[in-house]
Structure formats: C-alpha cells, structure tokens
Amino acid sequence: MPRNITSLVGKSAYLGCRVKHLGNKTVAWIRHRDLHILTVGTYTYTTDQRFQTSYHRDIDEWTLQIKWAQQRDAGVYECQISTQPVRSYSVNLNIVVPTATILGGPDLYVDKGSTINLTCIIKFSPEPPTHIFWYHQDKVLSEETSGGRLKFKTIKSEETKSILLIYDADLLHSGKYSCYPSNTEIASIRVHVLQGERPEAMQTNAAPAAVALASCWSCQAVRVISTMVAALVLLEACSTLLLQGCGGGGGRQEDRLRPSDPKEPQPNCVPSSSSTSSSVVGVNNGSRIAR
C-alpha cells in the first residue's frame, strides 16, 4: 500500500490499509495531528461527515474516504489495529491545488508575420484536465473557424502542456489570450504584435540616455546648491557691513556695551539716500585717487 497519497483539493481522497487475519480485532483511523479518532470499523466517530471508512472483503482493505478534501486535511493518518501492543500503519496525505501558467507572460512581443507560440503548463494535478479551452479576449478559439492559422497540441505527462500556435501573426492577433483547463483557475497573457522595433531593444537603447540625463540632473543640482551657498555668504557679509555702519565704529567701548534706555529713540539702521550717495561718491573718489 502507498504511504504517500496526493489528492486534488475539492475531490475525494482515499487512504488504504490492508489487514490480514483480523479476527475479532477492530481497525480504527486516527488523525495524527490531534489524535482524533475518525472511524472505528465502518462507524464514523467524528462529527465531520466527510470522513467515512469502507471495508473491501475481497482484498481485506479498510479504506478511509475524505470527501471534498481541503488543504487543512493534509497530514499523517494512522490505521490502528486493536492488538496488544497496538499495531499501526501510517499514510501521509498531500492536498494540492492545480495551477496553470502561460510561459513568457505577462506580456509577449512578436513581429508581424511570425508564429505566435503560447504554451500553457498545468502543474500539481493528480490527473490531466479533461479539457483545455483557449480564449482570445472573450472569444473561444477553434481550429475549424481559424482558416488554418490556428493549431492546438496537448502533451500529457506529469505536467500537462497545451500549446497554441498562431501562424502569420497579424495586428488583429494582439490582445489577451487565456488558457482555461477544466481543473484549475484561468491563466492569461497579453500578446503585442509589432511592425517595428521591439520594446526590449528600445529599452536597451534608452539606457545610456537615461544615465546621461541622470548625470545632467546631478550637475544642475550641484550648480543650484553652489549658487545658494554663495548667496548666503553674500547676505551675511552685507548684514555685517550694515551693522558696522549703524554703530559708527566710534564712541567709548562702555557706551557701546551699555544697555539702551527704552525711552531713548533708537538709531535707524537704514542709511538715507543722501548718505548712501555720499558714501558711494567718496568710495569712487577714493578709488580714483588710489589709481
């Protein structure tokens, strides 16, 4: 008897246990994870009526059936015989969910006039699907109505493969294609039929330009930062000159440090236009004399 059983989710799982010369002993099926007694003989102990044991007298086999198996049913089950000491036989149950995948997805780019090759792989299925439908957008594809441009091929092994061939691809063949097996969820891919350059090539050619653009942005950022720093330095220098002009640079040190009287009017630090002009003229004259 196999010790590893794989069953499809939603289907019935069958675990077998053969016992020779049982006599007046009994056979019980126990779930190992919680030591819950499921059945004794053909009587079901659990309140979950999905579990049921049947006895096949011709082969002395006690078969535990789990109806509508779920992923939570996966694990080890023990077939125990009421001997002293107890003898048992363990079976490991695997619950799998079949999946369908289309190679090359989610987007496939082909040239106009070439052959579109779509391969749908069905994995984790204990048995091959009874049928597989292909859709373009929401329309079922058929060889009979394709005018010889479509061909289907199915390869059944551990992984079932369904191959769709579309000859002499045209722009009208662009769009979403879906593979829909009888025992899995639907799988889809989007096909783009092109006349010109492939998007892969365009992305490759655009890479150096992107790098150059990023470098250019970095240079501009450095220039902006440098300009801001220079402006801050200039602003600080101007503030220092204005403060020195307001203080006049004269008077005793203790007068300059003495707190001002709140009632005493404060000097205005903004020079008048005449004084500014005189200062500028004086500086210009001094510049001429120096030269």
Side-chain angles (χ1 to χ4, degrees):
M1 299 294 295
R3 286 185 173 271
N4 278 289
I5 302 296
T6 300
S7 181
L8 186 65
V9 66
K11 302 292 184 180
S12 290
Y14 298 91
L15 286 66
C17 176
R18 289 181 183 176
V19 182
K20 298 289 186 179
H21 312 296
L22 180 62
N24 62 351
K25 306 300 181 182
T26 58
V27 175
W29 277 101
I30 298 176
R31 186 166 54 204
H32 190 269
R33 76 165 185 263
D34 55 5
L35 300 180
H36 189 71
I37 299 175
L38 302 174
T39 63
V40 176
T42 57
Y43 179 78
T44 301
Y45 260 68
T46 179
T47 57
D48 190 344
Q49 296 301 309
R50 296 182 303 122
F51 294 90
Q52 174 182 317
T53 294
S54 57
Y55 174 59
H56 305 277
R57 188 179 303 274
D58 53 339
I59 56 176
D60 290 326
E61 180 177 317
W62 299 82
T63 303
L64 174 65
Q65 179 186 10
I66 307 175
K67 300 178 181 178
W68 309 294
Q70 304 298 316
Q71 288 182 291
R72 57 185 172 85
D73 295 323
V76 178
Y77 293 80
E78 286 188 0
C79 168
Q80 290 189 355
I81 306 171
S82 61
T83 57
Q84 292 297 331
V86 174
R87 301 183 63 182
S88 64
Y89 176 82
S90 298
V91 180
N92 185 58
L93 175 63
N94 301 295
I95 304 296
V96 296
V97 180
T99 60
T101 306
I102 301 178
L103 300 181
D107 291 277
L108 179 65
Y109 298 88
V110 298
D111 291 325
K112 181 181 178 183
S114 62
T115 298
I116 302 175
N117 185 337
L118 301 179
T119 301
C120 180
I121 299 180
I122 294 89
K123 299 180 179 179
F124 312 121
S125 177
E127 56 187 16
T130 57
H131 59 267
I132 301 174
F133 291 121
W134 280 93
Y135 290 83
H136 179 215
Q137 308 294 29
D138 296 324
K139 181 180 178 182
V140 180
L141 298 178
S142 172
E143 290 187 15
E144 290 74 14
T145 60
S146 66
R149 301 182 75 172
L150 298 183
K151 184 175 180 60
F152 299 94
K153 184 179 180 181
T154 301
I155 303 174
K156 295 183 178 181
S157 58
E158 292 184 1
E159 296 180 348
T160 301
K161 296 181 180 180
S162 177
I163 302 173
L164 168 62
L165 297 176
I166 305 176
Y167 301 106
D168 192 19
D170 198 353
L171 298 180
L172 295 176
H173 292 129
S174 296
K176 185 176 77 171
Y177 287 81
S178 301
C179 166
Y180 198 178
S182 60
N183 59 349
T184 72
E185 295 293 331
I186 195 168
S188 300
I189 188 173
R190 186 162 294 277
V191 175
H192 306 267
V193 180
L194 306 176
Q195 287 183 328
E197 187 179 14
R198 290 178 177 270
E200 296 88 344
M202 289 189 288
Q203 292 174 3
T204 302
N205 295 336
V211 173
L213 182 59
S215 301
C216 179
W217 287 341
S218 299
C219 295
Q220 290 180 355
V222 170
R223 293 192 188 98
V224 170
I225 294 173
S226 301
T227 304
M228 292 175 63
V229 171
L232 289 173
V233 172
L234 181 60
L235 181 60
E236 182 68 21
C238 291
S239 300
T240 303
L241 290 175
L242 288 175
L243 291 174
Q244 290 178 353
C246 291
R252 293 179 302 171
Q253 182 176 3
E254 55 272 19
D255 293 338
R256 291 196 302 269
L257 296 178
R258 179 174 55 84
S260 60
D261 187 355
K263 299 180 180 181
E264 182 180 357
Q266 299 299 317
N268 188 358
C269 292
V270 179
S272 63
S273 58
S274 59
S275 61
T276 303
S277 302
S278 303
S279 300
V280 173
V281 171
V283 170
N284 294 336
N285 292 336
S287 300
R288 295 194 188 96
I289 295 171
R291 287 198 295 268

